[in-house]
């Protein structure tokens, strides 16, 4: 990523370090240049907007020109500028998401070592997309020809840590806009000394005289750096990734359950909002309401007509893609009026009263450009709406209950709803696993039985969601539609992969508990070599954390490999264990 993309730079790592300035404190960590920085961020982008000259993009961070392609640089420029009729004077923060394209990532990069296997789905690294976190400033400036200073600071990352990176931008961006380059150089060097992100560990992340303390359970707090004295009181955030769900869903509280169903089924949804901030928060809130189920569809918190995928998403020659699209330009109403679900939200209300809820309307009432706020869909919910939840949230507003408490109530409801839906699937899937007593050391392990939808639906009579959820409705119909969604495919593939790994681990344990010397007595050299190769392959997979195997089993497997090799003639031993 070259340091001065768009400005003629193409320096190697040493030159990049010089452009960024000397480390702010301590020595740079040994190993790959910018390895620790890359564990958190792909790069930092500075986008300057000029009404006459257009956008100018400058990239700060590791000097690898293959990370961000020319097309992505163009998209970043457009996605970093609010395309909004409501105006964005002052400072505003929002997010976007773009597809990775061009160039291959280096194997073994430090950023890829982040332990996704121990993180919940909502915190796992994006494998094929970049997430952009934007801090945009627009203020009057008489020194600029058109009278406005317009600039964005963008953090590009694969991590969905929206709260953490918004907090980081809130510290860095105002200082950067005042002092420009020197501040950003120091920040990049500080990030390059952060420990790698790891679930379940408390990390201290110093930046600009403040320590961001990221604790176990995804909790984040901001505390003063020990070397600083005159600093504001610590600010505590409840999560590195979770938004204020109640604030985001306030105008659509009456339809939260219907929207949950649309998300569960992976339905195409267009979100038209007055600003990128409202658009991106609504999309991120919608995609987070399926937790702990992984959201397997595409989503774009903020999307513009200049995006390279505009034609792909707006074509009428095929069905709309499974994507949640956040936009601010009313032009999309006309372009995407064939989409089955369109949510238009108005300007956010700051009063304590419950804002006017958007109405549920038929798509036929969708009018170009003058559309009022509403959820335009012909979809009929399978489950009856939980009116008690709506009344509870309304009562909370009347009693001026804190927003974080309201969010906790709403998130708990959505979590229990998702769990009630998923638990029967989990139980049925577990029943497809072969019994452990059927796993014999020297035979191929039995296969996982196939998932039969009809058998699962019949099982709901005795172990369905009615056991854990009071909501009535057409649960069977909801499951049937879910089977056709990307979320079922994603969930099933993941669970089957985990079960296959568990089966392989159990088979390895069975081998390691058996008497290998007795087994080898009447076996040919070919069979012994075959066992050695298979044990080695599983050992490599287990050591790469792909198999849930105990350390004692791994030691036993290594011992068995040595014993098996020792039983072979010298020429075979030399082939299997070359000097």
């Amino acid at each position: 990523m070259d340091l001065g993309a768009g400005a003629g730079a193409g320096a190697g790592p040493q030159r990049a370090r010089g452009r960024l300035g000397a480390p702010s404190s301590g020595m740079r960590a040994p190993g790959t240049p910018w390895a620790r920085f890359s564990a958190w961020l792909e790069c930092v982008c500075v986008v300057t907007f000029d009404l006459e000259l257009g956008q100018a993009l400058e990239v700060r961070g590791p000097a690898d020109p293959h990370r961000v392609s020319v097309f992505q640089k163009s998209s970043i420029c457009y996605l970093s500028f609010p395309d909004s009729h409501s105006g964005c004077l002052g400072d505003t923060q929002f997010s976007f998401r773009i597809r990775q394209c061009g160039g291959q990532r280096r194997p073994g990069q430090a950023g890829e070592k982040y332990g996704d296997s121990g993180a919940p789905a909502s915190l796992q690294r994006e494998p094929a997309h970049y997430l952009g976190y934007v801090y945009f400033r627009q203020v009057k400036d008489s020194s600029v020809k058109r009278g406005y200073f317009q600039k964005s600071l963008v953090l590009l990352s694969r991590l969905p840590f929206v709260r953490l990176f918004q907090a980081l931008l809130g510290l860095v961006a105002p200082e950067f806009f005042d002092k420009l380059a020197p501040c950003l150089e120091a920040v990049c060097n500080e990030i390059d000394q952060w420990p790698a992100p790891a679930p379940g560990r408390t990390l201290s992340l110093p930046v600009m005289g403040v320590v961001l303390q990221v604790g176990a359970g995804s909790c984040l707090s901001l505390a003063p750096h020990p070397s600083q004295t005159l600093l504001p009181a610590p600010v505590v955030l409840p999560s590195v990734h979770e938004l204020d769900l109640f604030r985001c869903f306030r105008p659509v509280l009456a339809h939260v359950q219907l929207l949950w169903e649309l998300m569960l089924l992976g339905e195409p949804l267009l979100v038209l909002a007055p600003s990128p901030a409202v658009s991106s928060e609504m999309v991120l809130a919608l995609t987070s309401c399926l937790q702990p189920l992984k959201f397997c569809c595409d989503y774009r918190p903020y999307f513009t007509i200049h995006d390279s995928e505009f034609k792909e998403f707006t074509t009428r020659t095929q069905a709309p893609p499974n994507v949640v699209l956040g936009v601010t330009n009313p032009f999309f109403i006309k372009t995407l009026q064939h989409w089955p679900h369109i949510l238009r939200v108005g300007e956010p209300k700051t009063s304590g009263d419950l804002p006017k809820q958007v109405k549920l309307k038929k798509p036929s009432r969708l009018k170009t450009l003058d559309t009022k706020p509403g959820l335009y869909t012909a979809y009929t919910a399978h489950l009856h709406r939980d009116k008690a939840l709506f009344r509870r949230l309304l009562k909370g507003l009347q009693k001026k209950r804190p927003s974080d408490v309201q969010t906790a109530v709403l998130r708990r409801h959505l979590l229990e709803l998702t769990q009630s839906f998923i638990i029967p699937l989990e139980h049925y899937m577990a029943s497809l696993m072969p019994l452990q007593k059927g796993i014999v050391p020297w035979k191929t392990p039995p296969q996982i039985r196939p998932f039969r939808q009809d058998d699962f639906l019949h099982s709901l009579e005795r172990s369905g969601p009615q056991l854990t959820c009071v909501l009535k409705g057409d649960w069977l119909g909801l499951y049937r539609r879910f089977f056709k969604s990307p979320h079922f495919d994603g969930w099933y593939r993941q669970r089957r992969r985990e079960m296959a790994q568990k089966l392989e681990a159990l088979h390895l344990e069975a081998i390691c508990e058996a008497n290998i010397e007795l087994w080898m007595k009447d076996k040919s050299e070919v069979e012994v070599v075959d066992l050695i190769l298979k044990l080695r392959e599983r050992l490599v997979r287990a050591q790469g954390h792909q198999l849930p195997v105990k350390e004692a089993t791994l030691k036993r497997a290594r011992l068995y490999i040595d014993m098996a090799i020792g039983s072979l003639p010298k020429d075979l031993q030399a082939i299997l264990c070359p000097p």
Side-chain angles (χ1 to χ4, degrees):
M1 180 178 304
D2 55 279
L3 206 60
Q14 294 301 319
R15 182 180 171 189
R17 183 176 177 184
R19 285 285 300 274
L20 286 170
S24 57
S25 62
M27 297 297 292
R28 182 180 301 281
T32 307
W34 298 105
R36 291 190 173 187
F37 180 96
S38 299
W40 292 92
L41 298 172
E42 294 296 315
C43 63
V44 178
C45 300
V46 179
V47 187
T48 303
F49 304 96
D50 188 287
L51 293 174
E52 293 180 332
L53 302 178
Q55 305 101 327
L57 174 69
E58 189 178 2
V59 179
R60 306 294 179 92
D64 179 358
H66 299 295
R67 289 199 184 193
V68 183
S69 69
V70 173
F71 292 106
Q72 286 170 327
K73 290 171 185 175
S74 175
S75 293
I76 290 169
C77 282
Y78 285 115
L79 290 168
S80 301
F81 185 82
D83 179 19
S84 174
H85 290 287
S86 61
C88 289
L89 272 176
D91 294 353
T92 184
Q93 288 187 254
F94 55 95
S95 309
F96 64 81
R97 184 173 181 261
I98 58 174
R99 189 178 296 168
Q100 180 197 1
C101 60
Q104 296 296 319
R105 293 179 64 77
R106 299 187 302 276
Q109 188 174 336
E112 301 300 331
K113 295 179 182 178
Y114 169 58
D116 276 354
S117 60
S122 56
L123 293 177
Q124 291 178 7
R125 184 179 297 273
E126 286 273 2
H129 290 81
Y130 292 131
L131 294 159
Y133 304 96
V134 184
Y135 194 109
F136 172 76
R137 173 170 289 185
Q138 177 175 279
V139 292
K140 291 184 177 181
D141 187 345
S142 58
S143 65
V144 180
K145 192 169 183 179
R146 293 292 184 94
Y148 285 96
F149 169 94
Q150 295 176 318
K151 192 182 287 284
S152 284
L153 184 62
V154 185
L155 305 180
L156 204 65
S157 177
R158 290 175 176 273
L159 297 171
F161 295 175
V162 58
R163 290 290 288 272
L164 171 60
F165 289 129
Q166 282 183 347
L168 179 60
L169 279 171
L171 289 170
V172 175
E175 186 81 3
F176 167 70
F177 289 139
D178 291 336
K179 298 181 180 178
L180 298 181
C183 161
L184 199 55
E185 293 168 0
V187 167
C188 286
N189 279 285
E190 285 185 298
I191 294 174
D192 192 41
Q193 297 177 53
W194 287 3
R201 286 178 52 201
T202 299
L203 303 177
S204 294
L205 312 175
V207 60
M208 295 182 64
V210 171
V211 174
L212 304 180
Q213 292 183 333
V214 185
S218 310
C219 191
L220 169 78
S221 64
L222 279 70
H225 193 284
S227 63
Q228 304 293 323
T229 53
L230 299 176
L231 289 171
V235 179
V236 178
L237 299 178
S239 165
V240 295
H241 70 293
E242 290 179 347
L243 297 167
D244 185 338
L245 208 60
F246 177 73
R247 179 172 55 80
C248 295
F249 281 157
R250 277 183 70 168
V252 295
L253 283 176
H255 309 302
V256 161
Q257 208 165 286
L258 187 149
L259 289 167
W260 173 84
E261 285 193 24
L262 294 180
M263 294 299 100
L264 181 72
L265 301 176
E267 287 287 311
L269 175 65
L270 177 69
V271 176
L272 178 61
S275 70
V278 176
S279 157
S280 59
E281 286 204 336
M282 179 62 79
V283 171
L284 292 174
L286 286 166
T287 57
S288 73
C289 71
L290 294 184
Q291 294 177 14
L293 186 66
K294 183 178 178 62
F295 192 84
C296 297
C297 296
D298 198 355
Y299 64 96
R300 304 303 169 95
Y302 176 51
F303 190 80
T304 75
I305 60 175
H306 304 288
D307 197 285
S308 59
E309 295 167 271
F310 175 77
K311 289 185 179 179
E312 177 185 334
F313 285 167
T314 57
T315 180
R316 291 183 179 232
T317 59
Q318 57 190 31
N322 302 102
V323 61
V324 184
L325 210 60
V327 302
T328 57
N329 193 329
F331 171 78
F332 280 98
I333 288 287
K334 180 180 179 180
T335 309
L336 302 181
Q337 57 184 309
H338 64 290
W339 276 36
H341 320 288
I342 297 177
L343 172 63
R344 180 159 190 174
V345 293
E347 294 285 351
K349 300 292 191 296
T350 57
S351 65
D353 298 329
L354 187 68
K356 187 177 181 181
Q357 296 294 289
V358 300
K359 294 183 178 180
L360 195 63
K361 303 177 182 181
K362 298 294 182 183
S364 59
R365 298 188 62 186
L366 195 64
K367 296 180 181 179
T368 305
L369 299 181
D370 61 348
T371 306
K372 294 180 180 179
L375 176 57
Y376 296 81
T377 179
Y379 178 83
T380 301
H382 289 78
L383 305 181
H384 302 320
R385 183 157 64 99
D386 189 343
K387 296 180 181 179
L389 171 71
F390 187 71
R391 289 195 296 268
R392 185 179 178 187
L393 293 172
L394 180 59
K395 188 175 182 180
L397 273 175
Q398 293 169 342
K399 292 188 172 182
K400 294 183 169 44
R401 187 185 295 154
S403 184
D404 59 341
V405 178
Q406 295 277 78
T407 287
V409 170
L410 184 56
R411 193 173 294 282
R412 181 180 178 85
H413 171 78
L414 293 171
L415 177 65
E416 291 176 349
L417 189 58
T418 303
Q419 287 178 327
S420 293
F421 184 84
I422 292 297
I423 285 172
L425 285 163
E426 295 282 357
H427 285 166
Y428 175 75
M429 195 71 187
S431 72
L432 304 179
M433 184 77 170
L435 296 176
Q436 190 166 352
K437 64 181 181 181
I439 300 173
V440 181
W442 314 116
K443 293 183 179 180
T444 302
Q447 296 294 306
I448 300 169
R449 293 189 295 279
F451 189 106
R452 302 188 188 281
Q453 296 180 10
D454 289 341
D455 290 348
F456 166 74
L457 293 175
H458 288 144
S459 73
L460 294 178
E461 294 179 8
R462 61 182 183 278
S463 59
Q466 71 276 3
L467 299 179
T468 55
C469 186
V470 298
L471 292 181
K472 305 294 183 182
D474 182 14
W475 286 97
L476 286 177
L478 188 59
Y479 279 112
R480 287 193 179 98
R481 287 195 63 167
F482 177 71
F483 289 145
K484 301 174 184 177
S485 76
H487 294 309
F488 171 70
D489 184 64
W491 171 83
Y492 175 71
R493 287 174 182 270
Q494 175 65 24
R495 291 292 290 114
R496 201 180 191 289
R497 182 164 54 248
E498 291 170 355
M499 289 169 67
Q501 291 171 353
K502 178 65 175 176
L503 192 60
E504 196 173 343
L506 290 172
H507 189 229
L508 180 60
E509 288 177 3
I511 291 174
C512 292
E513 290 172 1
N515 189 331
I516 190 172
E517 292 177 320
L518 181 63
W519 176 84
M520 287 191 298
K521 279 184 178 180
D522 59 348
K523 296 298 180 293
S524 67
E525 292 177 359
V526 173
E527 290 175 300
V528 174
V529 170
D530 184 58
L531 174 66
I532 292 169
L533 295 178
K534 286 182 177 178
L535 282 176
R536 277 182 170 174
E537 179 187 351
R538 293 189 183 181
L539 203 57
V540 169
R541 283 165 52 78
Q543 289 171 332
H545 305 291
Q546 294 179 338
L547 295 180
V549 181
K550 298 174 183 177
E551 183 59 34
T553 302
L554 297 180
K555 290 180 179 178
R556 187 90 174 188
R558 295 187 194 101
L559 177 63
Y560 275 15
I561 290 172
D562 293 340
M563 290 173 63
I565 292 174
S567 71
L568 295 171
K570 296 294 183 182
D571 57 338
L572 275 179
Q573 291 186 31
I575 294 172
L576 291 169
C577 297

